């Protein structure tokens, strides 16, 4: 028992000295008499006498109010813990609070307190994470002992009666409705077991509370993490190559400029002396500088067009085409002479490899707003708006668990305008449709040029796709697996890691992503980068697409169209059957995980939309953008039907959300889930068709706006990293957000902007260089 003689030492004049003496006394007693002590008892009356001497009546009331619960907890410390640092640090904290020491009050202040809106889903009593970790108190005992603050999250199961009170009607509330989390700032020397023992008091048990778990969150160290070191080294190599490539690009540019100036001088002197003239050519042997080179359209998104060509381009019904005044493949006699006389201007393979990493050149390609010949301009706007839809849907869905007023979101979901959020998965079907359209359009056009399908062509067809997608994909997986966890710090990091960060899954199953089979391999384990199922499906569709494209390109239309019909039927039949067999599951019900695993990510349940895109690409190639649509009535009726269908598949579900959210009957829901994706694809079919053939009006003008082009080139990178950006944002929050429309808009715009800014960086550093290296490999 602490001796009352220490009251004299705790006077205001000798407070520091008294604290030192008290610490020494407590340390000696806990070490020498531990065997005779069954429970550590703190003389509350003695500490109150200390407070009586030091403070006035108001201060005493304040101190006792803070001190009382902590003294009760410390009185429950089992004797086996007395030899540890935790109870000593806790006693020092208790003394600090009694004496109104700033560091001790800061630790209490940094702990969570009962908060508002429990009945609306605010089930976490947040503390102050940053203030807690700033605490660094040196104990005045001449031993150099330091007490640091640690942020602990204590999860307590709620009594069933309480759970029912605030979880009723929240179908998106999930596990969090069953727990109350209390965040505490505690001495760093305390372990989870010690904190649980301290809080297993009679008072808590009488209220029906118990401690389920205690976890600590805080800064993480890279020390000993070999995978992270390797990842940083790989990224460092890319950055180094970009620096070297950019410097080499500047050197080459200055050399080209000086050579051009010398040629101009030579040309002027030739005119005076009657000699011939010379012309500076670019890498491709054409009459422009390297930066203004004309390149033909290929499936990648990094092609540029000569700035002079833009004035000579004509647009025929939505498809930009070169005019007859400019021949893209012509080479003048003077160019050949100069090419032979000035071989120094021709770049070696090493030089081209270095230039592939030039940030300056890659940035120009990405930001170029010119339209290549033969491009479908309206697709740029559709692609960017669809990506915006994807980001919006994921932002709201992932933010649900981090809202203070979850019931307000439930009420918001009953409004008509909100329905495009639960139906946001249609944005992914838009990408399937666009992918099929572009593959069909480009493949058939290429076959029509050469008049045959060769083995070499098919080999390049598959290689280009794999090379186009995989390097950036693997780099993002590396960042996601090894580095993202170091970008997240704060009271929400454990929740976000459980939700999205699947480090172990990526380390064990990354090869399924590399082979693009992760949607088929996905079973009892978690998928590495859960949203990467789309890439697996898209690659599988691409591999199967020649079954349709080769017959169509070679004139066997019946075979190609029958295969397209079979693909659409596959989606409708498989979706309907699986939905019926598994009891009417959807993403929005308690069977959502089952629906995701068995229907949502499977290729046979998504290929129909891709096939409709293949069909439109074939039609555009046949019509050359010059198909006349007979009659205003036909055009009007087609647009009216397509527009109505597009609105219905997005807003028909409003019937389920109004009132008490009564779900449709099984038959109605299965019919909707089976048909709404193909119907959406048909609506897009008509939209693109009328835009390409010159009937799109102001809609085509908006979708073909040149400002969409740079953002469109960044769409692939944005899809890969947008959930990482969103996870980092949510993982670094210090508390729940309060849902309002402005809150949604503000967070969404920020996530969208950061996503595309990061996409630009990673595209310049990784994606664009690999596309340029492909041209070096095949000497194009």
């Amino acid at each position: 028992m602490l001796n009352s003689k220490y009251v004299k030492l705790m006077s205001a004049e000798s407070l520091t000295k008294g604290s030192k003496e008290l610490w020494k006394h407590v340390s000696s007693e806990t070490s020498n008499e531990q065997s005779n002590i069954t429970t550590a008892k703190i003389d509350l009356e003695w500490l109150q006498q200390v407070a009586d001497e030091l403070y006035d009546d108001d201060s005493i009331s304040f101190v006792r109010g803070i001190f009382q619960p902590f003294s009760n907890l410390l009185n429950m410390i089992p004797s086996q813990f007395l030899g540890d640092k935790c109870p000593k640090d806790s006693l020092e904290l208790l003394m600090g609070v009694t004496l109104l020491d700033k560091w001790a009050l800061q630790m209490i202040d940094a702990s969570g307190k009962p908060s508002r809106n429990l009945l609306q889903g605010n089930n976490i009593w947040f503390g102050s994470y940053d203030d807690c970790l700033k605490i660094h108190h040196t104990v005045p005992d001449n031993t150099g002992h330091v007490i640091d603050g640690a942020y602990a999250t204590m999860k307590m199961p709620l009594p069933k009666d309480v759970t029912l009170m605030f979880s009723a009607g929240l179908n998106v509330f999930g596990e969090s409705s069953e727990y109350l989390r209390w965040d505490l700032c505690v001495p760093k020397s305390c372990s989870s077991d010690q904190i649980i023992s301290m809080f297993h008091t009679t008072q808590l048990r009488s209220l029906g509370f118990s401690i389920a778990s205690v976890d600590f969150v805080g800064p993480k160290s890279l020390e000993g993490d070999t995978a992270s070191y390797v990842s940083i080294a790989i990224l460092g190599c890319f950055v180094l190559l970009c620096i070297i490539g950019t410097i080499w690009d500047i050197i080459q540019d200055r050399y080209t400029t000086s050579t051009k100036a010398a040629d101009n001088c030579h040309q002027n002197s030739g005119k005076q002396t009657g000699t011939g003239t010379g012309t500076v050519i670019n890498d491709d042997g054409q009459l422009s500088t390297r930066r203004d080179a004309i390149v033909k359209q290929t499936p990648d998104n990094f092609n540029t067009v000569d700035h002079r060509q833009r004035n000579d381009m004509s647009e025929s019904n939505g498809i930009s085409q070169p005019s007859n005044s400019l021949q893209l493949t012509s080479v003048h006699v003077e160019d050949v002479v100069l090419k032979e006389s000035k071989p120094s201007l021709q770049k070696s393979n090493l030089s081209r490899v270095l230039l592939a990493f030039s940030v300056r050149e890659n940035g120009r390609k990405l930001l170029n707003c010119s339209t290549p010949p033969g491009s479908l301009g309206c697709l740029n706007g559709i692609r960017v708006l669809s990506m915006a839809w994807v980001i919006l849907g994921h932002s709201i869905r992932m933010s649900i668990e981090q809202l203070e007023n979850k019931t307000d979101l439930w009420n918001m979901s009953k409004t008509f305008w909100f329905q495009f959020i639960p139906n946001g998965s249609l944005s992914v079907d838009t990408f399937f449709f666009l992918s099929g359209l572009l593959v069909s359009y480009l493949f058939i056009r290429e076959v029509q040029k050469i008049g045959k399908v060769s083995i070499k062509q098919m080999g390049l067809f598959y290689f280009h796709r794999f090379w186009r997608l995989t390097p950036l994909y693997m780099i993002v997986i590396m960042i996601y697996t090894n580095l993202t966890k170091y970008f997240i710090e704060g009271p929400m990091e454990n929740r976000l890691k459980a939700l999205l960060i699947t480090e172990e899954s990526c380390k064990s199953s990354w090869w399924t992503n590399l082979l693009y089979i992760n949607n088929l391999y996905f079973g009892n384990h978690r998928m590495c980068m859960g949203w990467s199922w789309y890439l697996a499906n898209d690659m599988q569709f691409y591999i199967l697409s020649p079954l349709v494209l080769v017959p169509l390109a070679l004139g066997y239309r019946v075979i190609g169209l029958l295969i397209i019909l079979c693909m659409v039927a596959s989606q409708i039949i498989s979706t309907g059957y699986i939905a019926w067999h598994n009891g009417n599951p959807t993403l929005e019900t308690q069977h959502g995980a089952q629906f995701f695993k068995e229907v949502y990510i499977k290729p046979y349940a998504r290929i129909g939309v891709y096939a409709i895109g293949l069909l439109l690409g074939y039609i555009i190639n046949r019509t050359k953008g010059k198909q006349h649509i007979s009659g205003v009535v036909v055009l009007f009726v087609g647009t009216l039907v397509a527009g109505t269908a597009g609105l219905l598949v997005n807003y028909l579900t409003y019937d389920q959300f109004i009132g008490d959210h009564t779900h449709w009957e099984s038959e109605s829901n299965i019919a909707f889930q089976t048909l709404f994706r193909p119907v959406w694809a048909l609506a897009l079919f008509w939209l693109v068709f009328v835009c390409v053939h010159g009937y799109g009006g102001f809609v085509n003008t908006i979708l073909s706006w040149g400002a969409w082009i740079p953002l469109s080139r960044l769409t692939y990178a944005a899809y890969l990293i947008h959930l990482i950006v969103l996870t980092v944002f949510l993982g670094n929050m210090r508390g729940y957000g309060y849902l309002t429309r402005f809150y949604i808009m503000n967070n969404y715009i920020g996530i969208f902007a950061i996503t595309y800014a990061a996409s630009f960086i990673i595209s310049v550093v990784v994606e664009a260089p690999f596309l340029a290296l492909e041209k070096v490999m095949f000497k194009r």
Side-chain angles (χ1 to χ4, degrees):
M1 191 73 67
L2 297 177
N3 198 312
S4 60
K5 66 180 180 179
Y6 287 97
V7 173
K8 294 182 293 183
L9 296 173
M10 304 308 296
S11 61
E13 294 80 8
S14 58
L15 184 58
T16 302
K17 180 180 178 182
S19 181
K20 292 180 180 179
E21 294 294 329
L22 176 62
W23 178 258
K24 291 179 181 179
H25 177 74
V26 172
S27 300
S28 62
E29 285 196 354
T30 57
S31 59
N32 297 331
E33 302 178 16
Q34 181 175 350
S35 58
N36 298 322
I37 299 177
T38 57
T39 305
K41 298 295 181 181
I42 298 175
D43 193 340
L44 183 58
E45 295 181 358
W46 172 79
L47 287 174
Q48 288 174 349
Q49 291 175 11
V50 174
D52 290 340
E53 285 194 16
L54 294 178
Y55 310 117
D56 55 28
D57 292 339
D58 293 336
S59 299
I60 290 174
S61 300
F62 173 75
V63 172
R64 286 178 179 176
I66 296 177
F67 165 69
Q68 183 70 42
F70 283 90
S71 64
N72 291 340
L73 292 174
L74 288 174
N75 285 334
M76 301 301 298
I77 300 176
S79 60
Q80 60 265 29
F81 290 139
L82 287 175
D84 295 334
K85 292 182 179 180
C86 176
K88 297 179 182 179
D89 291 350
S90 301
L91 183 57
E92 181 72 16
L93 170 62
L94 182 60
M95 289 298 304
V97 172
T98 305
L99 302 175
L100 296 183
D101 285 346
K102 183 178 180 180
W103 73 271
L105 295 178
Q106 185 178 355
M107 187 168 283
I108 302 302
D109 184 51
S111 296
K113 290 88 177 173
S115 187
R116 63 183 183 182
N117 288 334
L118 177 65
L119 298 183
Q120 293 195 56
N122 186 14
N123 62 312
I124 298 182
W125 296 347
F126 288 99
S128 179
Y129 173 83
D130 299 284
D131 287 341
C132 179
L133 297 188
K134 291 177 183 176
I135 296 174
H136 184 80
H137 170 65
T138 302
V139 178
D141 60 354
N142 295 326
T143 64
H145 180 69
V146 174
I147 299 177
D148 291 319
Y151 197 86
T153 61
M154 185 170 63
K155 185 181 289 186
M156 299 181 295
L158 288 170
K160 290 185 178 180
D161 293 341
V162 177
T163 301
L164 293 175
M165 287 177 61
F166 72 90
S167 65
L170 290 176
N171 68 340
V172 293
F173 204 73
E175 179 190 37
S176 58
S177 63
E178 302 175 5
Y179 292 91
L180 175 67
R181 202 185 89 182
W182 186 8
D183 293 355
L184 299 171
C185 185
V186 299
K188 194 173 183 179
S189 58
C190 293
S191 66
S192 299
D193 291 337
Q194 289 171 317
I195 295 176
I196 291 175
S197 297
M198 289 181 186
F199 279 85
H200 270 162
T201 62
T202 305
Q203 290 89 337
L204 282 177
R205 288 196 297 269
S206 65
L207 294 174
F209 288 95
S210 61
I211 311 301
S213 64
V214 174
D215 297 308
F216 290 91
V217 294
K220 293 168 285 294
S221 174
L222 281 169
E223 185 177 356
D225 192 344
T226 304
S228 297
Y229 289 146
V230 173
S231 301
I232 294 173
I234 292 174
L235 294 177
C237 289
F238 275 101
V239 173
L240 180 61
L241 286 171
C242 288
I243 293 173
I244 296 173
T246 304
I247 294 174
W248 182 247
D249 182 23
I250 295 173
I251 294 173
Q252 290 287 93
D253 188 61
R254 290 185 178 180
Y255 174 77
T256 303
T257 303
S258 62
T259 303
K260 182 176 180 180
D263 288 341
N264 289 336
C265 292
H266 177 70
Q267 181 179 356
N268 292 333
S269 63
K271 288 181 179 180
Q272 295 174 358
T273 60
T275 59
T277 63
T279 308
V280 176
I281 62 171
N282 65 1
D283 296 341
D284 299 320
Q286 299 190 3
L287 298 175
S288 59
T289 63
R290 174 176 54 79
R291 196 174 302 124
D292 296 325
I294 304 172
V295 295
K296 69 177 183 178
Q297 168 75 6
T298 58
D300 65 67
N301 291 321
F302 293 93
N303 300 319
T304 58
V305 179
D306 190 300
H307 296 297
R308 296 169 301 167
Q309 180 185 356
R310 295 170 62 185
N311 297 325
D312 295 323
M313 295 293 295
S314 62
E315 185 168 312
S316 175
N317 300 330
I319 302 180
S320 59
Q321 301 176 0
S323 64
N324 295 330
S325 62
L326 182 61
Q327 299 295 326
L328 296 179
T329 58
S330 63
V331 180
H332 295 275
V333 176
E334 293 85 355
D335 301 336
V336 177
V337 173
L338 183 61
K339 183 176 180 179
E340 295 176 352
S341 61
K342 291 188 178 296
S344 60
L345 292 179
Q346 300 304 308
K347 296 177 176 59
S348 65
N349 285 336
L350 177 60
S351 177
R352 295 187 67 190
V353 168
L354 293 177
L355 290 174
F357 289 89
S358 171
V359 173
R360 187 174 70 159
E361 189 65 18
N362 291 332
R364 284 172 180 153
K365 292 177 182 179
L366 282 169
L367 298 177
N368 184 12
C369 292
S370 59
T371 305
S375 65
L376 308 177
C378 63
L379 301 190
N380 295 317
I382 295 175
R383 187 182 291 113
V384 176
L385 293 175
S386 297
M387 190 66 240
W389 194 3
V390 170
I391 296 176
L392 177 61
H394 283 155
S395 297
I396 293 180
R397 286 177 181 272
M398 287 187 62
S399 299
I400 288 174
E401 288 292 339
Q402 293 183 220
L403 293 175
E404 177 181 327
N405 52 330
K406 296 180 178 67
T407 54
D408 287 345
L409 177 63
W410 184 251
N411 295 327
M412 187 180 293
S413 69
K414 298 180 181 181
T415 60
F416 181 79
W417 71 269
F418 190 83
Q419 301 312 302
F420 74 99
I421 299 300
N423 291 316
S425 62
L426 288 174
S427 59
V428 181
D429 292 279
T430 303
F431 283 113
F432 282 137
F433 171 81
L434 295 179
S435 181
L437 166 60
L438 289 172
V439 169
S440 176
Y441 176 69
L442 295 170
F443 181 89
I444 295 176
R445 190 177 68 168
E446 185 67 21
V447 172
Q448 288 175 346
K449 287 182 181 179
I450 61 178
K452 63 178 181 179
V453 177
S454 64
I455 296 177
K456 178 181 178 181
Q457 180 186 5
M458 295 308 302
L460 292 176
F461 176 80
Y462 288 118
F463 175 82
H464 174 80
R465 186 66 168 187
F466 186 83
W467 187 265
R468 166 76 176 86
L469 300 181
T470 307
L472 179 61
Y473 186 21
M474 291 297 106
I475 290 295
V476 171
I477 287 181
M478 180 191 72
I479 295 172
Y480 174 79
T481 305
N482 300 326
L483 298 178
T484 302
K485 58 188 174 185
Y486 296 108
F487 302 150
I488 298 175
E489 180 187 341
M492 301 306 302
E493 67 176 66
N494 286 338
R495 170 169 292 193
L496 267 295
K497 283 194 296 186
L499 177 66
L500 198 61
I501 302 299
T502 53
E503 179 181 350
E504 294 304 320
S505 296
C506 285
K507 288 182 177 179
S508 62
S509 63
W510 63 269
W511 58 273
T512 63
N513 296 70
L514 178 63
L515 298 178
Y516 295 93
I517 60 172
N518 46 307
N519 62 328
L520 301 176
Y521 184 77
F522 179 68
N524 295 325
H525 69 286
R526 295 194 66 176
M527 186 187 303
C528 175
M529 278 180 53
W531 64 101
S532 63
W533 67 268
Y534 165 80
L535 298 177
N537 278 272
D538 189 64
M539 180 62 79
Q540 291 157 14
F541 299 158
Y542 188 87
I543 293 173
L544 294 176
S545 64
L547 295 177
V548 174
L549 299 180
V550 172
L552 291 178
L554 297 181
Y556 302 98
R557 288 179 290 176
V558 175
I559 297 176
L561 294 176
L562 283 176
I563 296 176
I564 288 177
L565 182 61
C566 290
M567 289 179 173
V568 176
S570 168
Q571 174 167 342
I572 294 174
I573 294 173
S574 62
T575 302
Y577 174 76
I578 298 172
W580 170 79
H581 185 265
N582 290 290
N584 190 27
T586 67
L587 287 177
E588 306 301 327
T589 65
Q590 59 182 344
H591 304 294
Q594 180 186 14
F595 178 80
F596 178 83
K597 184 166 54 177
E598 298 184 11
V599 179
Y600 190 77
I601 66 173
K602 297 305 182 185
Y604 43 77
R606 306 302 292 262
I607 196 171
V609 172
Y610 188 89
I612 294 173
L614 293 176
L615 177 61
L616 180 57
Y618 167 70
I619 293 175
I620 293 175
N621 269 293
R622 281 185 58 84
T623 61
K624 307 297 182 184
K626 300 177 181 179
Q627 178 67 41
H628 175 68
I629 302 177
S630 59
V632 177
V633 175
V634 176
L635 178 63
F636 176 76
V637 171
T639 302
L640 181 63
V641 171
T644 302
L647 290 174
L648 279 177
V649 296
N650 276 283
Y651 291 99
L652 192 62
T653 52
Y654 178 58
D655 181 56
Q656 294 188 83
F657 284 85
I658 58 177
D660 59 352
H661 285 235
T662 303
H663 288 285
W664 288 336
E665 295 294 332
S666 177
E667 294 78 6
S668 300
N669 188 54
I670 291 174
F672 180 79
Q673 291 295 328
T674 301
L675 297 176
F676 85 120
R677 300 187 191 280
V679 170
W680 175 250
L682 291 174
L684 291 174
F685 183 106
W686 182 256
L687 173 63
V688 176
F689 183 81
V690 296
C691 287
V692 167
H693 291 85
Y695 297 94
F698 77 94
V699 175
N700 182 57
T701 302
I702 294 173
L703 295 177
S704 301
W705 184 32
W708 297 122
I709 297 176
L711 295 176
S712 178
R713 294 190 181 108
L714 298 173
T715 300
Y716 175 54
Y719 182 81
L720 286 177
I721 69 172
H722 78 282
L723 276 174
I724 298 178
V725 173
L726 183 58
T727 303
V728 171
F729 166 71
L730 295 175
N732 283 282
M733 289 180 65
R734 297 302 189 255
Y736 277 157
Y738 194 91
L739 178 69
T740 62
R741 287 181 174 84
F742 184 79
Y743 176 84
I744 294 175
M745 179 179 66
N746 184 62
N747 288 347
Y748 167 66
I749 292 175
I751 294 297
F752 184 88
I754 295 173
T755 294
Y756 270 88
S759 299
F760 177 79
I761 295 173
I762 199 168
S763 293
V764 167
V765 175
V766 179
E767 185 179 15
F770 275 96
L771 293 175
L773 289 175
E774 182 186 8
K775 296 179 181 179
V776 176
M777 286 189 292
F778 294 102
K779 301 186 184 302
R780 292 190 304 198

